């Protein structure tokens, strides 16, 4: 199996090129490059142990010594930079003797169990012993050694076996430099020195299980347990993580059709060889026993399931859709696509709905997360996407994070951001809760604006007020790049006294002076970039806030170059892609409105069917109408609305009211419990296609194993349904679908399987003008021409606290779990998060007699649920917080139907509640337990009957 090449030290960038001679060979590299790196460029390997190209050189092992003509001694080639005209020799008898001596010392304190070692054949120590020609070890094992040091098996995914450690410190440096967690240290000195994770073990330490130390370790000391159990991989396939919007590239290292490990790809455009615990280790769900692999049907949700053939299931689903549309009209059916699916899968579902169902009733789960981003950025800048590449953050001087928690939600980007912050960039955080970045090793927020949930728009107006009234506007930028008239109207609006920090301080719960200082820093600190998440969008004024953010960036000239920009951190892997692919009811691919006659006729010609010019139903409209009896058939592809959408009881009532719910998924998820047809889907390891991450990066997903559902990729299942409805879709693979998308979508015109194979990934727009993609948008002009300012009047949410509901509940996610948890709950990640708990400030807890771990009833206007309490000052008084990764928690039983005025994105982040100590689960939870046990039983009956 080809290994990723290791250049020993990081590549350097410089305008100056340096030419030198290594072993008689001329090589030219950028100034600042190390000798060992230059040698690798010339194809010359120098033995090394403590150096690796993901880390800064350390110079401790003394194996990489070289001779330089005219210089005394034997310098370490990893810490010596190139110089013009140097003549370097990497091989000589003297060097060989020194290197052998060094290796001999290492090996004399290393177990010689290579033949039975899990990494036999994939160990740098073993390779180096061979490379330096070590044949014998003169020192015996009689003296002091570390051969009996105890293993640390506490981490579920990797082993730490200190008997094999050579104390090269690569793991410690990986944890610091790459991950930014600082969980490891070298304790003691000399012979006593050893790697230590916290006081006890890895699980007890600050370690977040990102795997960077495991990847960096040159020996079998830090080792994936999967490799120990399964053996070394034989081949590898490059693919893309299916979890979050960072979109990390991985090499799936395989034995036959079994994944042995996922190794982050050094050439990954979004991750540069780094990973988090989810992508690196949490792929076990793909082979979990709960995977549904057989199609099933039933007449009613009170009936047990019946396992049937693919043809029978598809024909039944098609006949039900036809029956329902004939009886209730074509608009009584629709579909929901998922941001977990590939672009190609999403595309064929929306095509099915528009061309075959004959309606535009298709929506995506982005409705409940980033739909305000699409709307707000389109209005102001002209394109519904983030403006930067992740690497852009390395050129930021001021980073402002609003309503996002990058180290938990977007961990690999969070690590990159931390690196920039350690280099000295300033940090402003606007969040009701103290996220990790507020204070973590070597990173401290300059300002933590602890605003009250629901007051974002007031904050952005107050900051804009400071910029406008203190003369901090970048007038040149605004005059040249923006609609001046819209700027003047906006400027006059934000300058009003009612928008001053002083006027809004009480509403926000932040001191006016702090707001002023943060605004000044943002406007004058150099390159200022805004990163935001669902804490911005999931509000009744989500779209207003997105526009407010764009206004502030335009007014301060922070758009159109590296280091600045407006950057939505998309939650799921393909939120950007599912929106790009036309899965909203009013838009075709590339955000062209269905009422646009030219766009519509383009699709009509390509698809050979008349298309409706009327926008279809959004998810909340579908659910409302279903409850009223007007919406009867839903094709739900990879999405779990019964857990992820607000006001659970409203959602489940809607599902119960439908006559045909078709669920396509890996597991019998919460929505499937209300379904009549279950179509087993394929995991990301079982299919091909593309995902588009938060920086518009289209990355390939490549099939590494046969789908467990009988060999069907998800697009094939949709195509089967389409054929059964009389409209064959003639694709041979996902790549054919990508070709059709490229043909019909100007921003995707240059994207193809071949382009992705060549470049690894590409950021749209990718077309004739930008054949290699577009890392930074809006460079010379905005996509809409001139940037447009919008008035952002602050309208407080109608979800008010009062005597009955005096606290505000807000929600978020945690590093180890992913969204509804359907995948991560079926992996060893549960070791970090076994249940959702409610965080409550000590004062609020004391007032209510609540102690740590007590069961707490949370009541809102929508419902009640019960969770265990976690008492913490991370939340401010008056605010409680929970995650929503476990269905039985019922976090969405309490969230309300309130939503963003423009896009209907639910107001997940503000729910007025009361909490009290209780002794038993809520009625909803007890009913849920009973119902879900019954439904799981129905599926078990199906598989038992099929086995008879
Ligand atoms: S655990 Fe591995 S990387 Fe860390 S010091 Fe030991 S040998 Fe080096
Ligand atoms: S797994 Fe990551 S966080 Fe944990 S010790 Fe290793 S590098 Fe640090
Ligand atoms: S979950 Fe996100 S950050 Fe973690 S490996 Fe996957 S894409 Fe990367
Ligand atoms: S590799 Fe250069 S000193 Fe270790």
């Amino acid at each position: 199996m080809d290994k990723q090449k290791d250049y020993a030290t990081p590549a350097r960038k410089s305008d100056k090129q340096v030419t030198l001679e290594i072993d008689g060979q001329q090589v030219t590299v950028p100034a600042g490059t190390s000798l060992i790196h230059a040698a690798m460029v010339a194809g010359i390997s120098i033995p090394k142990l403590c150096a690796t190209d993901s880390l800064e050189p350390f110079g401790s092992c003394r194996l990489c010594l070289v001779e330089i003509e005219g210089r005394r001694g034997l310098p370490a080639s990893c810490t010596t930079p190139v110089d013009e005209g140097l003549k370097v020799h990497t091989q000589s008898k003297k060097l060989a003797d020194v290197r052998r001596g060094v290796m001999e010392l290492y090996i004399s304190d290393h177990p010689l169990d290579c033949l039975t070692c899990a990494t036999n054949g994939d160990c740098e120590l073993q390779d180096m012993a061979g490379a330096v020609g070590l044949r014998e070890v003169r020192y015996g094992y009689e003296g002091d050694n570390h051969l009996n040091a105890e293993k640390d098996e506490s981490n579920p995914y990797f082993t730490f076996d200190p008997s094999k450690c050579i104390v090269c410190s690569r793991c410690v440096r990986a944890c610091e430099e790459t991950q930014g967690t600082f969980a490891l240290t070298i304790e003691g000195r000399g012979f006593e020195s050893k790697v230590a994770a916290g006081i006890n073990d890895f699980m007890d330490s600050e370690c977040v299980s990102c795997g960077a130390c495991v990847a960096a370790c040159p020996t079998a000391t830090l080792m994936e347990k999967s490799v120990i159990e399964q053996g070394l991989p034989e081949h590898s396939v490059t693919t893309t993580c299916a979890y979050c919007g960072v979109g990390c590239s991985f090499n799936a290292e395989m034995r036959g059709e079994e994944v042995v490990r996922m190794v982050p790809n050094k050439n990954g455009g979004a991750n540069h060889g780094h990973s988090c615990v989810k992508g690196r280790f949490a792929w076990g769900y793909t082979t979990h026993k709960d995977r549904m692999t057989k199609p099933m049907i039933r007449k009613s949700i009170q009936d047990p399931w019946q396992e049937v053939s693919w043809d029978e299931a598809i024909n039944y689903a098609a006949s039900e859709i036809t029956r329902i549309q004939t009886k209730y009209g074509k608009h009584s059916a629709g579909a929901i696509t998922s941001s977990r699916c590939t672009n190609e899968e999403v595309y064929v579902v929306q095509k099915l709905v528009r061309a075959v169902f004959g309606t535009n009733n298709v929506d995506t789960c982005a409705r409940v997360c980033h739909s305000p981003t699409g709307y707000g950025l389109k209005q102001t800048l002209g394109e519904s996407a983030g403006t930067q590449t992740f690497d852009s953050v390395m050129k930021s001087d001021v980073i402002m994070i609003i309503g996002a928690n990058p180290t938990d939600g977007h961990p690999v980007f969070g690590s990159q951001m931390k690196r920039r912050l350690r280099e000295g960039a300033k940090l402003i955080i606007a969040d009701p809760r103290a996220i990790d970045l507020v204070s973590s090793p070597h990173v401290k927020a300059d300002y933590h604006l602890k605003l009250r949930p629901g007051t974002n728009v007031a904050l952005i107006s107050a900051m804009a007020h400071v910029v406008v009234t203190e003369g901090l506007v970048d007038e040149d930028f605004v005059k040249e790049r923006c609609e001046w008239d819209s700027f003047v109207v906006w400027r006059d609006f934000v300058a009003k006294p009612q928008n001053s920090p002083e006027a809004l301080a009480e509403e926000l719960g932040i001191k006016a002076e702090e707001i002023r200082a943060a605004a000044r820093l943002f406007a004058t600190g150099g390159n200022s970039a805004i990163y935001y998440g669902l804490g911005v969008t999931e509000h009744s004024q989500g779209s207003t806030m997105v526009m407010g953010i764009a206004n502030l960036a335009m007014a301060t000239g922070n758009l159109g170059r590296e280091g600045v920009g407006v950057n939505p951190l998309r939650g799921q892997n393909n939120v950007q892609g599912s929106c790009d692919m036309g899965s909203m009811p009013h838009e075709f691919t590339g955000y062209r409105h269905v009422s646009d006659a030219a766009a519509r006729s383009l699709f009509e010609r390509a698809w050979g069917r008349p298309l409706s010019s009327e926008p279809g139903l959004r998810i909340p409209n579908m659910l409302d109408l279903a409850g009223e009896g007007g919406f009867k058939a839903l094709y739900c592809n990879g999405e779990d609305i019964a857990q992820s959408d607000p006001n659970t009881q409203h959602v489940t009532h809607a599902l119960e009211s439908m006559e045909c719910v078709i669920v396509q998924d890996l597991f019998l998820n919460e929505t499937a419990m209300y379904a009549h047809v279950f179509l087993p889907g394929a995991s990301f390891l079982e299919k091909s296609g593309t995902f588009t991450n938060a920086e518009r990066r289209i990355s390939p997903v490549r099939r590494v194993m046969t789908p467990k559902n009988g060999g069907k990729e998800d697009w094939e299942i949709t195509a089967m349904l389409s054929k059964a409805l009389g409209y064959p879709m003639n694709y041979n693979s996902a790549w054919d679908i990508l070709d059709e998308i490229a043909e019909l979508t100007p921003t995707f015109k240059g994207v193809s399987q071949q382009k992705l194979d060549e470049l690894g990934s590409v950021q749209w727009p990718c077309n004739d003008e930008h054949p290699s993609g577009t890392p930074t948008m809006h460079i010379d002009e905005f996509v809409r021409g001139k940037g447009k300012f919008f008035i952002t009047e602050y309208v407080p949410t109608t979800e008010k606290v009062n005597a009955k509901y005096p606290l505000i509940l807000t929600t978020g996610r945690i590093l180890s779990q992913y969204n509804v948890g359907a995948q991560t709950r079926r992996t060893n990640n549960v070791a970090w998060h076994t249940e959702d708990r409610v965080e409550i400030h000590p004062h609020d807890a004391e007032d209510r007699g609540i102690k740590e771990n007590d069961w707490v009833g949370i009541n809102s206007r929508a419902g009640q649920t019960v969770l265990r309490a976690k008492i913490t000052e991370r939340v401010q008084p008056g605010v409680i917080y929970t995650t929503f990764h476990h269905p039985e928690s019922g976090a969405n039983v309490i969230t309300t139907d309130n939503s963003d005025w423009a896009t209907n994105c639910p107001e997940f982040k503000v729910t007025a509640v009361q909490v009290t100590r209780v002794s038993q689960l809520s009625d909803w939870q007890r009913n849920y337990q009973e119902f879900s046990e019954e439904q799981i039983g129905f599926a078990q009956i199906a598989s038992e009957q099929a086995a008879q």
Side-chain angles (χ1 to χ4, degrees):
M1 195 183 74
D2 286 346
K3 281 177 70 175
Q4 299 183 60
K5 197 167 176 179
D6 186 348
Y7 286 82
T9 61
R12 301 295 184 207
K13 282 189 187 144
S14 171
D15 295 338
K16 191 177 160 212
Q17 296 290 306
V18 172
T19 301
L20 68 161
E21 198 183 286
I22 304 177
D23 292 345
Q25 213 175 301
Q26 293 249 312
V27 55
T28 302
V29 289
T33 303
S34 70
L35 291 179
I36 195 170
H37 189 110
M40 283 300 284
V41 171
I44 299 165
S45 293
I46 300 175
K48 66 173 186 65
L49 274 174
C50 69
T52 185
D53 61 9
S54 57
L55 302 172
E56 289 303 315
F58 192 56
S60 70
C61 76
R62 312 297 295 163
L63 206 60
C64 68
L65 309 181
V66 290
E67 289 171 349
I68 302 175
E69 286 183 22
R71 286 198 194 175
R72 288 168 53 192
L74 302 176
S77 60
C78 64
T79 49
T80 309
V82 292
D83 221 341
E84 191 66 33
L86 281 190
K87 288 192 173 40
V88 181
H89 301 280
T90 72
Q91 303 295 340
S92 72
K93 166 135 189 3
K94 190 171 166 192
L95 287 170
D97 287 347
V98 177
R99 287 177 188 152
R100 259 197 303 274
V102 170
M103 278 309 295
E104 203 176 350
L105 280 173
Y106 278 124
I107 298 295
S108 68
D109 190 10
H110 196 85
L112 293 181
D113 61 355
C114 288
L115 279 183
T116 52
C117 178
T119 58
N120 184 17
D122 183 27
C123 169
E124 289 183 44
L125 189 69
Q126 194 181 42
D127 294 348
M128 290 308 128
V132 303
L134 187 70
R135 296 285 172 265
E136 56 169 337
V137 177
R138 286 166 293 170
Y139 320 110
Y141 287 108
E142 302 78 38
D144 282 348
N145 59 46
H146 299 89
L147 301 178
N148 294 319
E150 211 178 311
K151 279 189 195 173
D152 175 354
E153 300 273 13
S154 62
N155 185 287
Y157 296 117
F158 59 81
T159 298
F160 174 59
D161 179 358
S163 72
K164 297 187 170 173
C165 181
I166 58 170
V167 202
C168 65
S169 174
R170 271 161 66 160
C171 53
V172 178
R173 290 179 285 138
C175 193
E176 293 175 0
E177 291 175 31
T178 311
Q179 167 58 24
T181 292
F182 295 76
L184 303 178
T185 48
I186 301 281
E187 262 182 19
R189 284 167 170 265
F191 176 80
E192 299 297 327
S193 55
K194 61 173 189 182
V195 173
I199 296 166
N200 292 322
D201 55 26
F202 272 81
M203 271 313 259
D204 255 4
S205 74
E206 296 296 308
C207 170
V208 292
S209 199
C210 71
C213 55
V214 181
C217 182
T219 65
T221 312
L222 282 161
M223 196 67 222
E224 295 94 347
K225 288 183 176 171
S226 56
V227 175
I228 297 170
E229 279 154 23
Q230 291 164 260
L232 282 174
E234 294 158 337
H235 69 277
S236 97
V237 182
T238 304
T239 188
T240 304
C241 178
Y243 279 120
C244 86
V246 178
C248 296
S249 176
F250 278 89
N251 292 331
E253 295 195 347
M254 314 285 299
R255 280 176 84 87
E257 285 224 336
E258 248 185 89
V259 177
V260 176
R261 64 180 166 195
M262 297 290 281
V263 177
N265 178 10
K266 283 185 189 177
N267 299 321
N271 59 321
H272 308 296
H274 191 32
S275 60
C276 84
V277 60
K278 294 191 285 290
R280 178 77 150 96
F281 296 116
W283 35 269
Y285 72 89
T286 58
T287 50
H288 193 275
K289 63 175 178 42
D290 290 354
R291 270 289 295 273
M292 305 300 290
T293 55
K294 301 276 172 25
M296 302 188 299
I297 58 172
R298 60 180 173 178
K299 286 262 181 282
S300 139
I301 66 165
Q302 271 83 43
D303 294 339
W305 286 101
Q306 197 193 335
E307 269 186 24
V308 293
S309 67
W310 272 107
D311 281 347
E312 202 175 334
I314 293 288
N315 288 336
Y316 179 71
S319 68
E320 279 295 276
I321 292 167
T322 308
R323 178 186 68 77
I324 287 166
Q325 286 194 299
T326 308
K327 186 168 170 192
Y328 300 101
K330 62 184 174 184
H331 299 301
S332 61
I336 298 175
T337 68
S338 171
S339 300
R340 283 188 290 168
C341 296
T342 63
N343 284 322
E344 294 69 22
E345 288 159 7
V346 169
Y347 176 85
V348 291
V349 171
Q350 61 92 35
K351 178 174 174 178
L352 172 82
V353 173
R354 298 187 203 282
V356 187
F357 289 11
T359 166
N360 286 321
N361 289 344
V362 61
D363 206 1
T364 172
C365 60
R367 172 71 52 213
V368 299
C369 69
H370 266 286
S371 48
T373 288
Y375 179 84
L377 296 186
K378 179 101 180 167
Q379 296 292 311
T380 48
L381 311 179
E383 191 56 276
S384 301
T387 61
Q388 309 299 120
T389 189
F390 286 138
D391 287 350
S392 158
V393 79
M394 298 313 286
K395 297 207 170 146
S396 297
D397 303 305
V398 179
I399 297 169
M400 177 152 155
I401 304 171
I402 312 175
N405 185 0
T407 53
D408 279 52
H410 303 83
V412 164
F413 179 60
S415 289
Q416 188 176 25
M417 197 180 247
K418 277 195 197 173
R419 200 175 324 144
R420 182 62 195 145
L421 292 166
R422 289 198 303 275
E423 287 174 0
K426 302 283 184 205
L427 177 61
I428 303 167
I429 293 176
D431 202 296
R433 183 169 167 267
I435 58 170
D436 281 346
L437 283 171
V438 168
S439 175
S440 62
H442 305 280
V443 171
K444 293 270 175 296
D446 295 86
Y447 299 100
H448 176 200
L449 307 175
K450 244 185 191 183
L451 73 177
R452 285 195 315 110
T455 59
N456 285 337
V457 173
L459 176 66
I460 210 78
S461 295
M463 290 184 73
H465 178 92
V466 177
V467 169
V468 162
T469 56
E470 295 191 10
L472 306 178
V473 170
D474 184 341
E475 288 217 2
D476 290 345
F477 182 90
V478 174
K479 276 191 186 128
E480 192 192 326
R481 301 286 309 271
C482 305
E483 283 183 9
W484 183 254
D485 291 351
S486 72
F487 168 72
V488 170
V489 175
W490 173 80
R491 181 193 63 194
D492 295 347
F493 162 74
V494 293
K496 286 183 185 170
Q498 79 227 35
N499 287 321
S500 70
E502 289 69 22
L504 291 166
E506 195 183 329
E507 178 72 6
L508 287 162
I510 315 170
K511 288 194 187 100
E513 205 35 56
E514 218 180 334
I515 301 168
R516 284 194 178 272
R520 287 175 198 137
L521 174 62
F522 185 84
T524 62
N527 280 345
S528 293
I530 300 176
Y531 292 86
Y532 71 88
L534 304 183
V536 159
T537 53
E538 290 178 342
H539 285 277
S540 59
Q541 283 202 288
S543 293
T544 317
M545 181 60 180
V546 172
M547 293 191 286
I549 287 171
N551 290 339
L552 185 66
M554 287 190 287
T556 53
N558 279 308
L559 280 160
R561 62 180 188 279
E562 283 188 291
V564 298
V566 173
N567 304 282
L569 293 174
R570 309 287 190 148
Q572 305 200 71
N573 50 330
N574 202 30
V575 177
Q576 182 67 55
S578 71
C579 298
D580 300 342
M581 289 301 101
S583 62
M584 295 234 179
H586 63 296
E587 284 168 338
F588 295 117
T589 64
Y591 305 98
R592 286 159 298 167
H593 205 276
V594 291
S595 64
D596 173 345
R600 209 171 53 252
S601 82
L602 177 76
F603 283 90
E604 283 176 336
R605 276 200 309 278
W607 295 347
R609 286 278 172 110
L611 301 174
S612 167
S613 60
E614 284 296 313
L617 297 172
R618 297 169 171 180
I619 295 172
N621 309 134
M622 291 181 199
L623 297 175
D624 290 348
L625 196 56
E628 291 159 16
F631 186 80
K632 292 289 186 184
L634 177 68
Y635 176 31
C636 198
N637 197 307
E639 186 49 19
D640 191 3
I641 52 171
Q643 191 182 345
S644 62
D645 283 35
N647 196 347
T648 306
Q649 291 170 100
H650 179 67
V651 177
T652 52
H653 170 65
L655 286 167
E656 280 168 338
S657 309
M658 294 184 212
E659 292 183 11
C660 180
V661 175
I662 304 162
V663 168
Q664 187 168 320
D665 210 287
L666 302 181
F667 301 105
L668 195 72
N669 63 18
E670 304 308 305
T671 308
M673 297 191 186
Y674 296 86
H676 307 89
V677 179
F678 186 87
L679 305 173
S683 76
F684 81 111
L685 294 171
E686 299 163 352
K687 58 188 169 198
S688 294
T690 55
F691 293 146
T692 308
N693 76 353
E695 36 157 26
R696 297 169 278 103
R697 184 182 299 281
I698 305 159
S699 299
V701 179
R702 297 193 179 92
R703 175 167 163 164
V704 303
M705 59 175 72
T706 311
K708 311 235 165 324
N709 59 6
K712 302 213 173 340
E713 298 189 20
D714 287 78
W715 69 262
E716 287 180 275
I717 301 166
T718 306
M720 284 164 71
L721 182 58
S722 185
K723 188 173 175 203
L725 286 163
Y727 184 85
M729 291 184 180
N730 297 315
Y731 307 114
N732 292 315
S733 74
W735 307 115
D736 286 353
I737 304 171
L738 180 61
D739 289 344
E740 183 173 312
I741 295 166
E743 205 178 295
L744 294 170
T745 315
T747 43
F748 268 62
K749 193 165 172 237
V751 185
S752 64
Q753 181 185 14
Q754 194 191 351
K755 175 75 59 81
L756 295 172
D757 286 345
E758 274 166 25
L759 300 182
S761 61
V762 68
Q763 287 170 274
W764 67 257
C766 173
N767 45 30
D768 294 343
E769 264 178 64
H770 306 282
S772 302
T774 312
T776 307
M777 293 199 75
H778 314 295
I779 288 183
D780 295 320
E781 64 171 3
F782 289 104
V783 171
R784 73 184 297 286
K786 298 273 186 194
K788 185 168 181 178
F789 286 81
F790 279 79
I791 295 282
T792 55
E793 186 103 41
Y794 170 55
V795 181
T797 170
T798 53
E799 180 67 7
K800 299 255 189 261
V801 289
N802 59 16
K804 193 169 175 200
Y805 302 111
L807 304 173
I808 296 177
L809 166 77
T810 190
T811 58
R813 61 177 77 175
I814 199 161
L815 169 69
S816 58
Q817 296 291 325
Y818 174 69
N819 213 21
V820 294
Q823 292 142 286
T824 42
R825 278 186 281 112
R826 292 180 171 98
T827 69
N828 286 330
N829 277 26
V830 287
W832 287 276
H833 185 79
T834 44
E835 61 178 337
D836 296 313
R837 291 172 65 178
V838 57
E839 290 184 7
I840 180 165
H841 190 273
H843 294 169
D844 292 325
E846 197 183 341
D847 286 352
R848 291 162 177 80
I850 293 169
K851 301 212 173 43
E852 183 80 3
N853 286 332
D854 276 354
W855 287 106
V856 171
I858 311 169
N859 288 281
S860 74
R861 293 178 179 98
Q864 192 210 24
T865 196
V866 173
L867 297 173
R868 282 196 309 128
K870 181 172 175 182
I871 298 173
T872 170
E873 289 187 1
R874 280 184 92 141
V875 286
Q876 52 183 295
V879 176
I880 65 167
Y881 169 89
T882 188
T883 48
F884 48 82
H885 302 302
H886 294 263
E888 62 276 16
S889 303
N892 281 328
V893 173
I894 33 186
T895 52
T896 68
D897 283 335
N898 278 5
S899 66
D900 174 45
W901 62 271
T903 65
N904 281 139
C905 182
E907 191 180 33
F908 281 127
K909 301 296 180 188
V910 188
T911 309
V913 294
Q914 175 60 295
V915 297
T916 45
R917 254 185 78 189
V918 294
S919 54
Q920 59 174 6
L921 297 177
S922 70
D923 290 347
W924 180 87
Q925 283 166 311
R926 287 200 299 275
N927 292 339
Y928 167 81
Q929 262 178 4
E930 213 173 289
F931 178 71
S932 72
E933 274 163 27
E934 181 183 53
Q935 289 296 324
I936 290 164
F938 285 164
Q940 275 160 359
I941 292 171
S943 71
E944 279 159 21
Q945 279 176 350
Q948 280 164 13

